[in-house]
Amino acid sequence: MNNFDNTSNLKILTFDIFGTLLNLKDSLIPYLENNLQKSNENTNFEIVWDTWRDRQRIEQYQDNILMLGHSGYLKTCERALLYTLDKHKIIYNNEQIENIMSGWYFLKPFDDVIERLPLLQKKFKLVILSNGEQNFLEHLAKNQLKFEFDHIISVELAGQFKPSPAVYRKASQILNENPLNISMVASHSFDVIGAKACGFKSSYIDRYDLPLEHLNYKIDIHVENFIQFTDFILYGKIPNITNNNKKINIE
């Protein structure tokens, strides 16, 4: 069964950028290692990265729950970094923190993204919808992705972080489009579920082989990578899922 087979009404793809289009892990672990390894021998910085990434979301959720508004994506990343280093008993100083945080301006795109974005733009309007600050997003689109999106929308305009419903509703208002004609594309299931709850279509690029939240929302497209996503949405090709231990459906 395929609830996404009628793509004739689909006009806009809104993209998460951090972790979906840009490779955070491979971009930022070298900054952790280069700045902290000498004074913190035998530290596994992949584990440090995992903690940092998870903590970022908690910092953003806290801002939403406490109704603090959008305090800034990079600010929440820095707060998460400090928490992570303290949790892992890692020695650091202010200069090291500044050096590590500078890595966010040099994030590298995934290869499959660079290859396929131009193909998608022939059929759809492509939009960044991200937790990042507007100027930061514009820098990343221009200098790191080197791609001209049809629109770049920061959640600053809604005053909250994703997956607040205000974000997706504000985006559909800005784009002047029915949410049913928009699909949120992300490698984080909370993002596509948040969009789905607001009437968007949902496209989950499951890069990290993570389980879905146990909520009462079905994902419309659930694939392993960006190539499978574009092959299906452009050409109707059913993806060949390589992970036999996990059932991934297009419903």
Side-chain angles (χ1 to χ4, degrees):
M1 184 174 62
N2 179 9
N3 293 332
F4 215 142
D5 53 357
N6 183 9
T7 59
S8 60
N9 293 329
L10 188 62
K11 300 177 182 178
I12 301 174
L13 302 178
T14 56
F15 291 94
D16 163 69
I17 190 171
F18 300 111
T20 302
L21 303 184
L22 294 168
N23 187 340
L24 304 190
K25 181 177 180 179
D26 290 347
S27 298
L28 291 168
I29 284 181
Y31 282 85
L32 290 170
E33 292 175 339
N34 292 340
N35 286 281
L36 298 171
Q37 202 162 43
K38 287 183 179 179
S39 54
N40 298 275
E41 295 182 3
N42 302 319
T43 298
N44 186 329
F45 285 99
E46 288 208 8
I47 293 176
V48 173
W49 164 252
D50 288 341
T51 304
W52 186 12
R53 185 62 173 147
D54 288 341
R55 184 67 193 183
Q56 288 170 30
R57 298 189 184 111
I58 293 174
E59 294 289 343
Q60 292 162 12
Y61 292 160
Q62 284 184 158
D63 277 12
N64 281 1
I65 292 169
L66 297 174
M67 294 184 287
L68 297 175
H70 184 269
S71 62
Y73 181 81
L74 290 172
K75 186 63 178 178
T76 59
C77 290
E78 183 174 342
R79 293 202 313 249
L81 174 61
L82 295 174
Y83 177 94
T84 297
L85 299 182
D86 290 341
K87 179 177 181 179
H88 288 282
K89 306 296 188 293
I90 291 175
I91 301 168
Y92 62 89
N93 57 44
N94 290 337
E95 182 180 359
Q96 289 169 322
I97 297 301
E98 290 179 6
N99 290 341
I100 294 168
M101 288 302 300
S102 70
W104 286 93
Y105 289 89
F106 302 97
L107 300 174
K108 300 174 183 177
F110 287 102
D111 290 340
D112 55 2
V113 167
I114 296 302
E115 176 186 339
R116 292 303 180 100
L117 280 178
L119 297 178
L120 288 170
Q121 199 167 43
K122 292 179 180 180
K123 183 175 182 180
F124 303 104
K125 181 181 289 186
L126 305 188
V127 177
I128 290 176
L129 177 57
S130 171
N131 280 333
E133 297 87 338
Q134 188 70 33
N135 290 341
F136 183 36
L137 297 177
E138 290 172 1
H139 155 74
L140 292 172
K142 179 181 179 180
N143 299 308
Q144 299 308 115
L145 286 161
K146 302 184 190 307
F147 186 81
E148 187 172 349
F149 290 84
D150 296 285
H151 211 106
I152 298 176
I153 301 175
S154 167
V155 303
E156 285 179 313
L157 296 172
Q160 298 186 58
F161 287 100
K162 292 187 289 184
S164 167
V167 171
Y168 308 102
R169 290 169 183 162
K170 186 67 174 179
S172 63
Q173 180 186 50
I174 291 170
L175 297 169
N176 193 29
E177 189 58 68
N178 188 319
L180 291 173
N181 298 333
I182 307 171
S183 180
M184 185 70 215
V185 185
S187 290
H188 318 297
S189 60
F190 73 84
D191 198 350
V192 293
I193 288 174
K196 181 77 173 179
C198 294
F200 282 48
K201 296 291 188 179
S202 52
S203 300
Y204 182 33
I205 314 297
D206 192 5
R207 291 191 183 279
Y208 309 105
D209 190 25
L210 293 174
L212 289 166
E213 282 82 356
H214 291 275
L215 297 171
N216 193 29
Y217 294 99
K218 288 185 177 180
I219 302 301
D220 295 301
I221 294 181
H222 186 171
V223 294
E224 291 179 338
N225 56 58
F226 211 73
I227 300 294
Q228 291 176 350
F229 169 67
T230 53
D231 279 351
F232 176 73
I233 203 167
L234 290 176
Y235 313 119
K237 295 181 180 178
I238 302 300
N240 179 22
I241 303 302
T242 58
N243 185 351
N244 295 322
N245 296 319
K246 185 173 184 178
K247 185 178 180 183
I248 299 182
N249 291 326
I250 297 174
E251 300 186 351

